């Protein structure tokens, strides 16, 4: 069919030179769950046996590294757009994901420690930025109030007024 893709680009890797392993199986299908014609999509096929734990850890570690990098990048973007609260929230969510995977044994402790350190450093930097902005806002507000008070004209009320 003319709408069928000519190529499907798909890449999954753990590390250059690592032994190959089966961590999952995917199949391309042109049918929906009712067997009707549909757009091409990938369908996961359950494995008969669990993949080796070391391979799962390597894949989860790579996934978490990407999540942390994305969260930190987004956080800096949100910081520059004065949306630090959202930035900090996302960093904390990713921190919880890393901790969850570490506790489940799906992420090596050394990798989790590095990722948690990266998140903490980003959170500190963004929090400091938020504090500095808040201090500046307070300072400017106080200055504005002082200017307004200084320019106010106070007159003693006379009996005629």
């Amino acid at each position: 069919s003319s709408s069928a893709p000519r190529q499907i680009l798909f890449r999954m890797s753990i590390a250059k030179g690592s032994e190959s392993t089966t961590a999952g199986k995917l199949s391309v299908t042109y049918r929906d769950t009712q067997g009707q014609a549909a757009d091409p999509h990938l369908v996961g096929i359950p494995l008969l046996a669990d993949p080796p734990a070391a391979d799962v850890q390597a894949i989860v570690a790579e996934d978490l590294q990407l999540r942390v990098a994305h969260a930190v990048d987004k956080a800096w973007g949100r910081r520059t757009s004065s949306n630090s609260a959202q930035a900090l929230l996302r960093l904390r969510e990713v921190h919880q994901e890393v901790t969850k995977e570490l506790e489940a044994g799906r992420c090596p402790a050394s990798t989790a420690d590095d990722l948690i350190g990266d998140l903490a450093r980003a959170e500190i930097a963004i929090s400091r930025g938020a504090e500095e902005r808040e201090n500046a806002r307070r300072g400017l507000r106080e200055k504005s109030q002082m200017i307004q008070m200084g320019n106010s004209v106070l007159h003693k009320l006379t009996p005629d007024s």
Side-chain angles (χ1 to χ4, degrees):
S1 145
S2 63
S3 64
R6 294 183 191 161
Q7 294 179 339
I8 296 177
L9 303 176
F10 189 82
R11 178 177 176 239
M12 181 183 290
S13 64
I14 297 171
K16 191 172 187 172
S18 64
E19 293 182 28
S20 64
T21 185
T22 303
K25 291 185 179 181
L26 299 173
S27 175
V28 178
T29 183
Y30 296 88
R31 302 264 176 215
D32 62 17
T33 54
Q34 289 78 32
Q36 302 297 318
D39 291 332
H41 58 279
L42 295 172
V43 177
I45 300 172
L47 297 175
L48 299 176
D50 289 336
D55 293 336
V56 170
Q57 282 188 338
I59 291 168
V60 169
E62 186 175 336
D63 179 53
L64 289 174
Q65 288 168 339
L66 291 170
R67 288 186 199 189
V68 168
H70 186 259
V72 169
D73 185 50
K74 284 286 191 189
W76 282 113
R78 287 181 175 151
R79 178 182 176 263
T80 59
S81 66
S82 300
N83 198 351
S84 294
Q86 285 287 24
L88 293 172
L89 178 65
R90 182 61 187 142
L91 290 174
R92 290 179 188 133
E93 288 171 353
V94 173
H95 184 281
Q96 290 174 349
E97 292 172 15
V98 172
T99 303
K100 180 180 150 190
E101 295 294 352
L102 174 65
E103 290 171 353
R106 291 187 296 264
C107 181
S110 61
T111 301
D113 290 344
D114 289 344
L115 297 175
I116 289 170
D118 290 346
L119 290 166
R121 282 188 294 279
E123 187 172 340
I124 288 168
I126 289 168
S127 294
R128 281 186 183 156
E131 289 172 15
E132 289 169 6
R133 277 194 307 279
E134 182 60 21
N135 287 340
R137 185 191 69 77
R138 283 185 189 151
L140 291 169
R141 184 173 181 207
E142 289 172 7
K143 184 177 179 181
S144 173
Q145 288 175 340
M146 294 303 289
I147 289 171
Q148 289 176 22
M149 285 174 46
N151 289 335
S152 296
V153 179
L154 299 177
H155 298 283
K156 184 176 181 182
L157 290 176
T158 60
D160 328 47
S161 39

